[in-house]
Amino acid sequence: MKKLLLIVNPRAGKNKSTAPLYDAIVRLCEGGYLVNVKETKASGDATRYALELGSYYDTVVCYGGDGTLNETISGLMQLAEKPLLGYLPAGSTNDFAATLHIPAVPYMAANIITQGAPMALDVGRHNNRYFSYVASFGAFTKASYSASQDVKNALGHFAYILEGIKSLDSLRPYHCRVTADEEVIEGDFVFGSVCNSTSLAGLVKLDPNRVRMDDGVFEVVLLRMPRTALDLTSLLVALKQMQYDNPGIFFRHASKVTVETEDHIPWSLDGEYAPSTPVVNIENCHGAIQLLVNKPEE
């Protein structure tokens, strides 16, 4: 019988009932797994469990939101021999799961773990930390880590929108020099992201035809500081319609990104706060994690 470590964040998501989680555990057991459950009680617990216990299991599964997934991956990335990874999304946005079409219904996601196939997932390294799908700064970024868990649970996407609206009055440019592989761009940007997802906090959408999570490159998106309110509106419309040829949008694919700045720029890694630093080096760790996903259609 295969052994499975299930890391559970009991505070994640809107539904406080434990019944959906029990349904998922039943499916995992029926699928041939001996399941050991560990609940997180504080920040960093998922990383610690994955690092200290992960090598003793065939598969490590996390139940929670993007932050819980981030912690779990951060622990697994420190192991020499990594187990398979499974995900039961239970957060308020679940951008990562949405990109991979993993349903936010625990027993359905459990079916993918028992019946799916491993995919070699790219993982990002942001200086000495890891992220599963996005490192970002600027407009709306603060909302991803400043909205409380209770607010996220109650309002979901709307919590981020509320936080984002509150930050519009203080919309400010950040002067950066960005190197995306061999290309260099310097300017004033209101938002920047290095991502591996089609959805960022439920607000920014990327063309799914341009995003692959196993191709060794990230999608780099920079939004230039608009000069007028009309420019801002035009920029947001272009982004919503995925018109990347807009002069206010810099869009590239890159495996390595360096951001240099003298400004104070806090970052968000999968919705978790990361402090400002003058130089940020971001690298794509190609195929670093084997993630269980739906089997490809024949």
Side-chain angles (χ1 to χ4, degrees):
M1 180 172 283
K2 297 174 292 183
K3 295 199 301 181
L4 184 148
L5 175 63
L6 176 57
I7 300 173
V8 174
N9 177 357
R11 296 201 64 215
K14 304 173 187 177
N15 191 346
K16 292 299 182 182
S17 170
T18 55
L21 177 58
Y22 289 142
D23 290 341
I25 293 174
V26 169
R27 295 297 176 100
L28 294 172
C29 293
E30 291 175 345
Y33 281 108
L34 180 63
V35 180
N36 180 24
V37 179
K38 297 287 288 186
E39 279 197 358
T40 63
K41 295 180 174 61
S43 176
D45 278 356
T47 296
R48 180 166 57 85
Y49 294 151
L51 174 59
E52 294 179 358
L53 304 175
S55 59
Y56 298 100
Y57 291 84
D58 301 289
T59 303
V60 172
V61 175
C62 74
Y63 171 89
D66 294 331
T68 310
L69 179 67
N70 173 283
E71 286 197 10
T72 302
I73 287 178
S74 295
L76 295 180
M77 286 295 291
Q78 299 176 63
L79 296 176
E81 297 293 331
K82 301 175 181 60
L84 296 174
L85 174 65
Y87 186 31
L88 303 177
S92 47
T93 56
N94 303 316
D95 287 319
F96 181 89
T99 300
L100 287 169
H101 307 291
I102 298 176
V105 179
Y107 81 85
M108 295 175 66
N111 286 338
I112 292 176
I113 294 169
T114 60
Q115 302 170 17
M119 179 191 82
L121 177 73
D122 296 342
V123 173
R125 183 164 54 222
H126 177 283
N127 286 349
N128 60 348
R129 290 177 60 178
Y130 294 99
F131 62 93
S132 61
Y133 75 95
V134 63
S136 62
F137 68 85
F140 299 111
T141 295
K142 184 179 179 182
S144 62
Y145 57 77
S146 63
S148 71
Q149 185 64 57
D150 290 339
V151 169
K152 291 179 184 178
N153 289 347
L155 300 177
H157 281 158
F158 191 56
Y160 295 110
I161 296 172
L162 286 178
E163 291 293 328
I165 290 173
K166 287 196 298 187
S167 70
L168 283 179
D169 289 340
S170 58
L171 191 66
R172 56 153 294 184
Y174 297 94
H175 189 82
C176 306
R177 174 185 169 91
V178 180
T179 304
D181 286 340
E182 303 301 321
E183 186 174 2
V184 179
I185 180 173
E186 186 168 352
D188 295 330
F189 306 103
V190 294
F191 174 81
S193 73
V194 179
C195 57
N196 202 24
S197 172
T198 59
S199 175
L200 309 180
L203 294 172
V204 178
K205 302 289 185 180
L206 296 182
D207 184 349
N209 294 319
R210 300 198 182 200
V211 177
R212 285 189 56 188
M213 304 179 80
D214 61 352
D215 58 1
V217 294
F218 288 130
E219 285 63 53
V220 183
V221 180
L222 300 172
L223 304 184
R224 299 180 190 274
M225 180 65 183
R227 296 181 180 179
T228 66
L230 185 60
D231 288 343
L232 175 59
T233 301
S234 174
L235 183 64
L236 294 177
V237 169
L239 193 64
K240 182 177 178 59
Q241 296 179 349
M242 305 176 191
Q243 297 172 346
Y244 305 128
D245 56 350
N246 183 287
I249 300 175
F250 176 87
F251 180 92
R252 295 291 189 277
H253 300 285
S255 59
K256 292 184 179 180
V257 179
T258 299
V259 180
E260 302 169 89
T261 183
E262 295 181 0
D263 290 354
H264 178 79
I265 305 181
W267 285 75
S268 171
L269 306 182
D270 298 335
E272 303 299 312
Y273 172 78
S276 176
T277 181
V279 180
V280 169
N281 291 304
I282 298 174
E283 181 179 355
N284 185 297
C285 303
H286 181 40
I289 294 287
Q290 294 289 320
L291 175 71
L292 290 164
V293 297
N294 278 307
K295 288 183 178 179
E297 296 183 0
E298 297 293 339

